[in-house]
Amino acid sequence: LLEKLYKIEQAPEGFKSTGKIVNGELQLVMDEKAHPTMHHAIGLGEAGLDSIMSSTAADYGIQFVNYTFKGNKIAKGTHSKRRKLTKSELSEANAAIMKAKQNLGRDIQNMSPGIINKWRSAYHAVKYSSGVYYVGALEQGKKSVYGGKAWAVQLAIQAKKPVYVFDEPSGQWNKYNYTAESFSPMEGVPKLTSRFLGIGATPKDGI
């Protein structure tokens, strides 16, 4: 009983206990009074950390909506609803993709249409989010991140969104500083915005 009461007292801010313990873990749900506007999170539905985030969010009663397109496969085990983008919606992202190409110094000539459409989907996920949270690794210089999700992070920077990166090698959260034009370390853990985009490195990134 004392162990149960202790665990209930340790419920994270913004969540409340269901009063149930399963396999030694207290079962929590979101406290709607603490998060009156947090109705869903946004993702891209890829394998790896994207899938883990949506699954974890589901445990806390947060619904993920993954932005996708015709022919794209959402990773197995991903708990989410799907927002399938039309061809015209995908085309809307073209100008932002070209700007990201220049800012990242990356080439898209050899990219398949499917890969380019992933970043077009990311454009819309960023557009409808109120904050972006990425888990992976910062590049040297801390202006971007390693791997393919650098496109999503760059699109978020271009859209002037609050952008947070958990740099796994250092084990620290960083926030994009628009004055310095780079990521700066921050203390503690950032608070989630009302409609956050949660993304992370994929197995292909080797992080």
Side-chain angles (χ1 to χ4, degrees):
L1 179 61
L2 288 175
E3 180 184 5
K4 183 176 180 179
L5 289 172
Y6 174 76
K7 288 187 176 181
I8 289 176
E9 289 178 354
Q10 297 302 310
E13 182 181 355
F15 294 90
K16 58 185 179 181
S17 168
T18 63
K20 297 179 181 179
I21 293 180
V22 178
N23 296 325
E25 293 291 334
L26 178 67
Q27 302 302 293
L28 305 172
V29 293
M30 183 179 292
D31 185 346
E32 294 181 0
K33 292 182 179 180
H35 296 290
T37 61
M38 184 181 286
H39 59 283
H40 73 258
I42 297 172
L44 296 175
E46 292 198 288
L49 288 169
D50 285 29
S51 180
I52 293 171
M53 285 183 191
S54 66
S55 178
T56 302
D59 292 339
Y60 287 92
I62 302 174
Q63 177 68 64
F64 252 73
V65 176
N66 283 316
Y67 281 69
T68 185
F69 52 92
K70 185 177 180 180
N72 186 44
K73 292 183 179 180
I74 298 295
K76 291 182 179 180
T78 301
H79 298 266
S80 68
K81 293 185 178 180
R82 301 179 185 185
R83 168 68 166 87
K84 188 173 287 186
L85 299 164
T86 65
K87 287 184 177 180
S88 61
E89 286 176 319
L90 291 171
S91 297
E92 179 189 326
N94 288 346
I97 294 295
M98 293 305 294
K99 183 176 179 180
K101 168 184 173 293
Q102 294 177 343
N103 288 330
L104 291 171
R106 298 192 182 186
D107 193 4
I108 62 174
Q109 287 185 340
N110 296 323
M111 284 187 183
S112 69
I115 294 297
I116 294 175
N117 278 340
K118 281 184 182 291
W119 310 142
R120 288 170 173 156
S121 297
Y123 164 83
H124 286 277
V126 166
K127 177 181 176 180
Y128 292 105
S129 73
S130 53
V132 178
Y133 301 75
Y134 172 81
V135 177
L138 286 168
E139 282 190 341
Q140 196 170 16
K142 296 187 175 183
K143 291 186 177 293
S144 187
V145 300
Y146 285 106
K149 291 287 175 50
W151 290 88
V153 171
Q154 180 59 42
L155 289 167
I157 291 170
Q158 291 172 191
K160 303 296 184 182
K161 302 283 183 173
V163 185
Y164 302 91
V165 169
F166 181 77
D167 180 51
E168 291 191 292
S170 67
Q172 187 171 29
W173 278 100
N174 296 259
K175 183 178 182 180
Y176 191 77
N177 184 321
Y178 283 93
T179 301
E181 296 185 340
S182 63
F183 285 92
S184 300
M186 61 177 289
E187 293 185 6
V189 178
K191 291 184 177 181
L192 293 176
T193 58
S194 61
R195 188 183 299 160
F196 68 92
L197 168 58
I199 52 176
T202 68
K204 292 181 181 179
D205 293 327
I207 298 170

